Amino acid sequence: MYTEEKRKELEYAEMTINVIKKLVDEELSYLKKQRKDIVKDRTYFIDYFYELKDDEKMDLLKAEAQDTRMYESTLNVLAKLGRQLKEPYFARFDFQEVSHPVDKFYIGIHTVKDPETDNIIIYDWRAPIASLYYEHEPGNASYKAPMGEIHGLLHLKRRYVFKNGKLEKFTDIHMPSDDEFLYEVLSRNSDEKMKVIVQTLQKEQNRIIRDYIEGVSVIQGCPGSGKSSIALHKAAYVLYHFRDRLRNQQLAIISPNKVFAEYISSVLPDLGEENINQISPEEIVGDFLFYSAGTHYLGRLESQEYILSANKTEMTRLRKISAFKCTRDFSEIVKKYVKHVEKSLFVPEDLYLDDELTEYIDKETLEELFYDEFRSEAVYERTALVAERVAEMRKIKSFEIKEHIKEGLDSMITCHSVETLYYRMYQDRKFFDEVGVNLEKYAPKTLLWEDICAIGLMSALMYKFEFEPTLFYLLADEAQDFAPVFLELIKRRFPHCNMLFVGDRKQLVFENTGNFVDDIRDIIQRRPFRKYELTTNYRSTNEIIEFASHIINKKEEHSIRSGNVPEVVRTGKDKMNEEVAKFVVDMYEKGYMNIAVLCKSMKSAKEVNLKLDAKYAVKILPVYLAKGLEFDCVAIWNASKDEYYDKSDRQMLYTACTRAMHELRVFYQGEITPFLK
């Protein structure tokens, strides 16, 4: 027997579904018409190709391109409506504005209007009024609207559970963080949990998402605090609220790896957005290597694997080198070296302007032009500027003579390769005295990631790079892994856009110091600068947090739920595959589907051979590819003292353990790592 309240809710749900179905039918009809128009345009173009004038062909092509864009837009609308047919909305609140009657507001992924009445029946979660749901308990409340602060009384807050378009239940709540509601969501499997992120936004998370976007913002958050989720919500929020300003500009996310990029692509549709540009760190550095096209180097993850796959002695040496090159001191040394070589890079000689050697520009004039008049210009751009000035001084019009002057000046440059200059930096004893550091021991045998960032920075300083201001907002996850030399390139590649960096100083897989907040503030130097701190772990149980915190001898976060104590299992020789496989099967039988085996390196991951049936789709990853991700259950592969033994390994093991939501088991052979004793 339905109560009156449940009957009303079921009627509203049915009405909403019917409206969405009506909108789907309209869009399908529109899609069919668009398809006909495109086919018609193409048929006409082909049939009358030889009879049409060039301008008519161009008009037809433009019309077809516009029709195609509209067709793709309609497909996107249909995809969004399709998702809302399954779950039209997830929350409701009743709000009474001062001197107005009570209104009901239902919240979903997108705004839905009744096409017959034009009334909004579902509000987008990003709409200003939706902040009432996330930030206020029933009682006096207010929200910021475009016309100013709106005050009133919040009467009711309610959440809903739909299954395949059918309303199953609803519950009245005070806040999305109500323990019972949040515990239920966090206890779900990770793939389910991702779909309801937007329903459980905490007050502090919601405020970061809706806070100002100007300047640079940094989130320092513990594992599982929702940092990556906030970044994705912020992206969706910016796209929703700044649609007009984003017409000619873009929003982009720096994805640390392909695994994380796939995660972003799967989550964004559930937030109401899909088309967000993703760029890799390698692409950013590559934009500064135009003049070093032949340079061979290892990318960011390749460098990490190269270090982790080395023997102990070599790994220790490489880690020390990498750690030095991840400091602010190193980026300053690179910048100082550019100034150092500028002083002697150009060696002027008398420049003859004709084959008869009768007319020339003396070397003193050339030296004055290069080192004084154009001293503020990038050093490798100066010969072109000096050549133009010489042509002006001598009233030379001939293109051939101008080219002759430019070639002559270029021949006075002692080195044209930034890469060569970079290697020379490690041999220049005069420069060592200038900076007070003997760089010989840091000289690269193979160009690793920090080396190529440094070469990119040298290129940025020695050439003139101009980038179109096409980016409106940049988001960067795992920012604690950004070395200062890389931050210098971000600053120069995106000189005018707003930025949000997300990271955790404790989750260090690369050799960084963890001072990423200070590095970003001091290097990017864009105002205003905002810092947010998140200290609640919504991912893992208290027991997993306690276990992981022991590894780094520090605990700063807390969880809101409990679970099983992580187990440490010593396996017999050649028995680890068997034991880990048994753990995976046990977890599947418990109902967990998203299970990972995390190894120190890709080399170790390739040695894992669990011999499981295909139905057990376990993920086997190196820790550096698992950063930013979460799994229902995690098995740590071989946490022995031979595998995890130095300070960097301590941070890596901590990061691996904090990927687990519900169950964590650590396997090892021989003697266990000292970090777990």
Side-chain angles (χ1 to χ4, degrees):
M1 190 73 180
Y2 290 153
T3 64
E4 179 64 15
E5 189 67 14
K6 186 167 186 177
R7 184 186 64 76
K8 288 179 180 178
E9 289 289 8
L10 287 169
E11 285 178 358
Y12 193 87
E14 185 180 2
M15 179 275 293
T16 303
I17 292 292
N18 288 334
V19 168
I20 295 172
K21 285 179 178 177
K22 206 180 299 178
L23 291 169
V24 168
D25 289 340
E26 286 182 6
E27 293 297 330
L28 283 172
S29 175
Y30 191 37
L31 193 72
K32 200 177 293 183
K33 179 183 179 303
Q34 288 171 324
R35 191 185 295 122
K36 282 182 181 179
D37 290 342
I38 292 169
V39 171
K40 183 180 175 183
D41 288 344
R42 289 179 181 174
T43 304
Y44 185 84
F45 187 81
I46 293 168
D47 290 346
Y48 295 96
F49 181 82
Y50 295 104
E51 299 173 30
L52 293 169
K53 296 177 183 177
D54 287 346
D55 59 341
E56 291 175 322
K57 290 178 184 176
M58 189 60 68
D59 289 342
L60 278 171
L61 288 171
K62 285 180 181 176
E64 186 194 333
Q66 185 176 352
D67 288 342
T68 302
R69 283 194 297 271
M70 291 171 68
Y71 183 82
E72 291 170 349
S73 175
T74 304
L75 284 175
N76 286 333
V77 172
L78 277 168
K80 292 172 181 177
L81 290 170
R83 279 191 288 273
Q84 283 194 282
L85 273 175
K86 294 179 180 178
E87 186 184 41
Y89 49 85
F90 57 81
R92 162 192 159 188
F93 60 88
D94 295 356
F95 182 65
Q96 184 178 17
E97 191 179 334
V98 176
S99 303
H100 286 74
V102 177
D103 279 330
K104 298 176 183 177
F105 299 88
Y106 288 80
I107 309 173
I109 297 300
H110 296 286
T111 297
V112 174
K113 284 185 177 183
D114 187 328
E116 292 181 3
T117 64
D118 207 35
N119 291 333
I120 297 175
I121 58 173
I122 302 172
Y123 285 81
D124 193 296
W125 68 272
R126 295 163 290 188
I129 197 168
S131 64
L132 288 168
Y133 174 73
Y134 295 111
E135 295 202 1
H136 293 281
E137 296 184 15
N140 291 323
S142 64
Y143 70 96
K144 290 180 181 177
M147 69 287 294
E149 192 88 10
I150 305 296
H151 295 268
L153 196 62
L154 191 61
H155 288 274
L156 171 140
K157 291 174 68 173
R158 182 170 287 173
R159 72 173 182 94
Y160 300 86
V161 176
F162 281 83
K163 189 169 183 179
N164 295 322
K166 297 288 184 185
L167 177 61
E168 287 205 329
K169 64 176 181 177
F170 56 88
T171 309
D172 289 352
I173 63 171
H174 287 279
M175 295 292 289
S177 56
D178 276 5
D179 287 347
E180 183 184 350
F181 175 34
L182 189 59
Y183 186 90
E184 177 193 332
V185 170
L186 296 179
S187 299
R188 300 178 189 176
N189 290 355
S190 57
D191 56 342
E192 293 179 77
K193 181 171 164 282
M194 288 299 172
K195 294 182 175 68
V196 292
I197 290 172
V198 73
Q199 303 178 23
T200 59
L201 280 180
Q202 304 306 289
K203 192 172 184 177
E204 72 273 19
Q205 295 172 333
N206 182 64
R207 284 182 177 169
I208 296 172
I209 291 164
R210 296 174 187 268
D211 204 358
Y212 298 104
I213 66 162
E214 290 80 7
V216 172
S217 300
V218 181
I219 300 174
Q220 155 58 39
C222 69
S225 56
K227 301 182 300 296
S228 298
S229 297
I230 289 172
L232 298 183
H233 281 74
K234 189 83 173 182
Y237 180 80
V238 170
L239 287 168
Y240 176 84
H241 275 274
F242 298 92
R243 292 184 295 273
D244 294 338
R245 289 171 68 178
L246 283 166
R247 281 175 184 164
N248 299 316
Q249 293 180 298
Q250 300 170 336
L251 183 147
I253 296 175
I254 300 178
S255 297
N257 56 62
K258 289 182 179 178
V259 177
F260 189 81
E262 289 172 5
Y263 157 72
I264 289 174
S265 299
S266 68
V267 173
L268 280 171
D270 290 324
L271 301 181
E273 298 295 343
E274 294 183 44
N275 298 318
I276 293 178
N277 292 334
Q278 294 193 49
I279 51 180
S280 68
E282 285 80 5
E283 286 176 290
I284 293 171
V285 176
D287 286 338
F288 293 95
L289 298 180
F290 179 81
Y291 301 102
S292 305
T295 300
H296 176 72
Y297 66 94
L298 297 179
R300 187 163 165 266
L301 301 181
E302 293 171 312
S303 292
Q304 182 69 357
E305 186 62 28
Y306 180 83
I307 294 171
L308 295 175
S309 300
N311 61 51
K312 271 190 180 182
T313 303
E314 180 64 3
M315 187 191 299
T316 300
R317 187 186 76 83
L318 289 171
R319 277 179 157 173
K320 285 180 179 176
I321 291 173
S322 182
F324 169 70
K325 292 177 181 179
C326 285
T327 62
R328 196 105 57 90
D329 286 344
F330 177 68
S331 66
E332 290 303 313
I333 284 171
V334 172
K335 291 193 282 188
K336 285 176 182 177
Y337 188 66
V338 171
K339 291 188 177 298
H340 176 79
V341 297
E342 278 182 3
K343 300 170 187 174
S344 57
L345 194 63
F346 180 70
V347 180
E349 301 172 358
D350 293 344
L351 177 64
Y352 288 89
L353 306 180
D354 58 357
D355 294 335
E356 288 75 27
L357 307 181
T358 58
E359 190 176 357
Y360 70 95
I361 299 290
D362 61 83
K363 64 181 183 181
E364 290 79 14
T365 300
L366 296 178
E367 183 175 33
E368 192 277 330
L369 289 171
F370 189 92
Y371 285 114
D372 291 329
E373 184 163 343
F374 294 110
R375 65 180 177 278
S376 62
E377 303 292 339
V379 66
Y380 276 144
E381 307 288 348
R382 293 184 201 174
T383 53
L385 297 168
V386 172
E388 282 294 323
R389 180 55 54 85
V390 168
E392 287 176 17
M393 290 164 59
R394 294 302 175 92
K395 296 185 170 57
I396 295 169
K397 303 293 185 186
S398 167
F399 176 77
E400 289 77 10
I401 297 177
K402 287 182 179 181
E403 281 296 296
H404 168 74
I405 295 170
K406 173 70 165 60
E407 289 169 6
L409 291 168
D410 284 341
S411 70
M412 299 175 200
I413 297 286
T414 58
C415 180
H416 288 274
S417 167
V418 175
E419 183 181 342
T420 300
L421 288 173
Y422 181 68
Y423 279 110
R424 285 183 185 176
M425 184 177 76
Y426 296 95
Q427 304 163 357
D428 193 331
R429 295 191 173 278
K430 187 178 177 182
F431 181 63
F432 297 170
D433 294 337
E434 189 179 311
V435 294
V437 180
N438 184 339
L439 295 172
E440 274 186 307
K441 61 183 177 182
Y442 301 113
K445 295 176 182 177
T446 299
L447 290 177
L448 300 180
W449 174 245
E450 290 81 20
D451 294 310
I452 204 63
C453 288
I455 291 173
L457 177 55
M458 289 179 72
S459 293
L461 296 168
M462 299 184 79
Y463 288 99
K464 184 180 181 180
F465 288 88
E466 291 183 344
F467 298 105
E468 289 294 320
T470 55
L471 205 63
F472 176 71
Y473 202 75
L474 177 73
L475 299 104
D477 207 349
E478 301 300 333
Q480 75 276 3
D481 291 332
F482 291 174
V485 278
F486 181 61
L487 288 172
E488 293 278 2
L489 295 180
I490 290 179
K491 173 185 178 178
R492 289 164 172 80
R493 179 60 185 84
F494 308 107
H496 304 295
C497 79
N498 306 294
M499 301 178 183
L500 172 66
F501 293 88
V502 175
D504 179 14
R505 57 180 171 265
K506 292 186 294 183
Q507 295 184 62
L508 296 172
V509 167
F510 297 87
E511 307 309 313
N512 295 40
T513 63
N515 296 326
F516 77 104
V517 177
D518 293 342
D519 289 342
I520 290 167
R521 181 193 63 219
D522 298 340
I523 291 171
I524 303 296
Q525 290 186 336
R526 205 154 302 156
R527 297 293 180 265
F529 177 86
R530 300 178 188 85
K531 176 188 170 184
Y532 306 97
E533 193 98 21
L534 298 172
T535 57
T536 300
N537 187 321
Y538 297 105
R539 174 191 298 144
S540 307
T541 61
N542 263 314
E543 290 73 12
I544 291 173
I545 293 173
E546 291 281 354
F547 183 89
S549 298
H550 170 70
I551 296 170
I552 59 171
N553 299 320
K554 186 182 288 187
K555 185 186 178 186
E556 296 174 349
E557 68 267 20
H558 64 278
S559 176
I560 68 162
R561 62 192 181 91
S562 296
N564 294 328
V565 175
E567 293 183 44
V568 179
V569 178
R570 182 179 181 181
T571 69
K573 189 178 180 182
D574 303 323
K575 291 288 186 181
M576 193 173 296
N577 278 302
E578 184 181 321
E579 292 286 343
V580 173
K582 184 177 181 302
F583 169 74
V584 172
V585 173
D586 289 346
M587 294 302 103
Y588 263 85
E589 288 179 356
K590 281 189 174 184
Y592 297 121
M593 306 296 289
N594 191 10
I595 302 170
V597 177
L598 300 184
C599 309
K600 181 177 177 180
S601 67
M602 183 63 80
K603 181 183 177 183
S604 297
K606 288 178 179 177
E607 294 170 359
V608 178
N609 183 15
L610 301 183
K611 296 180 181 177
L612 290 166
D613 292 341
K615 68 178 181 178
Y616 302 110
V618 62
K619 298 175 180 67
I620 303 171
L621 298 168
V623 180
Y624 61 79
L625 282 183
K627 283 172 65 62
L629 305 178
E630 60 184 30
F631 307 94
D632 294 327
C633 312
V634 169
I636 306 295
W637 181 267
N638 195 19
S640 68
K641 74 169 186 176
D642 291 329
E643 194 79 354
Y644 294 91
Y645 55 87
D646 75 6
K647 183 176 131 184
S648 296
D649 293 329
R650 181 192 290 269
Q651 303 291 153
M652 185 176 289
L653 190 58
Y654 169 81
T655 302
C657 291
T658 56
R659 303 304 93 204
M661 290 176 58
H662 306 296
E663 298 276 357
L664 171 65
R665 196 163 298 173
V666 179
F667 297 86
Y668 73 100
Q669 287 179 341
E671 190 174 340
I672 196 166
T673 171
F675 309 134
L676 287 176
K677 287 182 178 179

